[in-house]
Amino acid sequence: MKPSLVKGTRDFGPEKMVRRNYIFDTIKAVFQKFGFQPIETPAMENLSSLMGKYGEEGDQLLFKILNSGNFSEKITQKELDEGAKKLTLKISEKGLKYDLTVPFARFVVMNRNDLAMPFKRYQIQPVWRGDRPQRGRYREFYQCDADVVGTDSLVCEAEIVLMIHEVFKNLGINFSLKINNRKVLTGLSEAIGAAGQEGTLAVAIDKLDKIGKEKVLEELAEKGFSSESLAKLDPVFEISGTNQEKFDKLEELLKDSEIGKKGIEELRAVWHLLQSFGQSEENIELDITLARGLSYYTGAIFEVKALDVQMGSISGGGRYDNLTGTFGVAGLSGVGISFGVDRIYDVLEELNLFPENNSVTTKLLLCHFGEKELNFALPLLQKARLAGINAEVYPDVSKIKKQLDYADKKKISYVCIIGSEEMETGKLTLKNMITGEQEKLTFDEVISKLIN
């Protein structure tokens, strides 16, 4: 049978894994710098933990796992006739996790007595979604999340903005960070006389940059918004200028909405905190049309897009005040950010931003002419490794050309060639595989050269 991959999944060879680890390590270093601790949760969660957390569409995209054994023997014809939704609950109790946020909330609830609050965690693991595969969208992909739970301090929002800046600065990616607040979206629905319909409103105006004003208004009219409400929405489309000018216009628009004013107050506080940190707002934009995570975000909303490349968001997050409440513990507020590693990889690759030497895993290869030379090389190999040099020896007795071809294919920078003369004199031939330069050195001199 011809082997194949599941659609929407990928293999990663050594070169790609080195590049992916470069991204992971860059993000992880920033997380740790800001005081976040690592955790892991299982690939599988109980469906009761997952269902209903991502909206109806999210429920459809969950990968469900069939129960073990003869799960179908107790299914009645009536249950078959009732349709897939009810049938799923009969034959499946588990599912692959859709994101890292909901499993994190479950983890916090189950371990809250052992955690120092506020609890700052980061998590780097794969998640699975039954999406239609396309460029930048996969069915299995990694997320890198950082969350703070157990505090409603807006210092956490400001620090997330700082982390976003540091991660993408370290990766060399030019980006735009958009910030909004769920309370502002609720305030907008109140301001236009459509209280309680902020979800529908937000989903529509979130498409403004893709489909334009007229199509947004058409969609809202089809959803039952009155002409009076749509007329009151006009000022939203006119909000532009600097962030401070947007704040001023937004305050006028939401002057009669208490929750809307609260959202503006929180956003202004984040801006003030960023000034206290000395953070420029050059990459930051207040965008009141930004809507994401509507089923669980209750405060700040973040979205990051890379400039200079056509790609969806590469990072996003927000404040959630009631996520742990779904697991029976109310009052634990949290805020988090997620970095989309797969999209970040595609951006770095398209813009040629990966470091030139990032495919190098071995720096030195010891080559030899025979069995005696191989045995001579082994203590030298150990000495190189103890000195902190990534090194290996060619394991078979083969022609030197084959060994050099191996080094070339693996992009190994240096090879030490060991023959009978080298064994007698203690002077080894060190070849630079990039320049072709060769020189005779003792092994101590080789180590000194490669370390420096």
Side-chain angles (χ1 to χ4, degrees), residues 317-430:
R319 162 75 62 175
Y320 44 87
D321 285 342
N322 55 10
L323 197 62
T324 55
T326 64
F327 294 106
V329 176
L332 276 178
S333 180
V335 62
I337 191 72
S338 180
F339 291 89
V341 170
D342 296 282
R343 287 187 176 182
I344 290 172
Y345 184 103
D346 290 344
V347 170
L348 291 173
E349 188 170 55
E350 185 167 334
L351 298 179
N352 197 28
L353 293 175
F354 281 110
E356 286 184 14
N357 65 343
N358 69 4
S359 63
V360 177
T361 53
T362 300
K363 191 169 187 178
L364 173 67
L365 174 69
L366 299 181
C367 299
H368 50 85
F369 282 91
E371 198 71 41
K372 288 182 181 179
E373 289 84 355
L374 172 58
N375 289 328
F376 181 86
L378 297 183
L380 302 182
L381 175 63
Q382 185 69 352
K383 192 172 184 179
R385 289 171 175 167
L386 290 172
I389 297 169
N390 294 348
E392 59 181 291
V393 65
Y394 196 82
D396 299 320
V397 175
S398 300
K399 291 182 179 179
I400 288 294
K401 183 182 184 307
K402 184 176 181 180
Q403 298 181 50
L404 294 178
D405 287 345
Y406 172 82
D408 195 49
K409 198 166 187 178
K410 282 193 71 174
K411 296 183 171 65
I412 297 173
S413 303
Y414 292 91
V415 298
C416 248
I417 302 172
I418 302 171
S420 57
E421 181 185 333
E422 284 78 9
M423 290 172 62
E424 288 173 12
T425 64
K427 292 273 189 176
L428 311 183
T429 302
L430 180 70

Side-chain angles (χ1 to χ4, degrees), residues 177 179-180 243 246-247 250 267 271 284-288:
L177 166 60
I179 306 178
N180 196 11
N243 289 322
K246 289 178 181 178
F247 273 123
L250 194 56
L267 285 168
W271 251 258
I284 308 170
E285 178 188 351
L286 172 63
D287 184 355
I288 64 169

Side-chain angles (χ1 to χ4, degrees), residues 14-25:
E15 186 172 349
K16 285 191 175 180
M17 275 310 304
V18 169
R19 289 183 164 192
R20 285 171 67 81
N21 285 337
Y22 163 71
I23 299 171
F24 291 139
D25 293 344

Side-chain angles (χ1 to χ4, degrees), residues 83 94 154 166 239 278 308 362 404 414:
K94 301 175 287 294
L154 295 173
E166 187 153 344
I239 291 180
D308 312 317
T362 300
L404 294 178
Y414 292 91

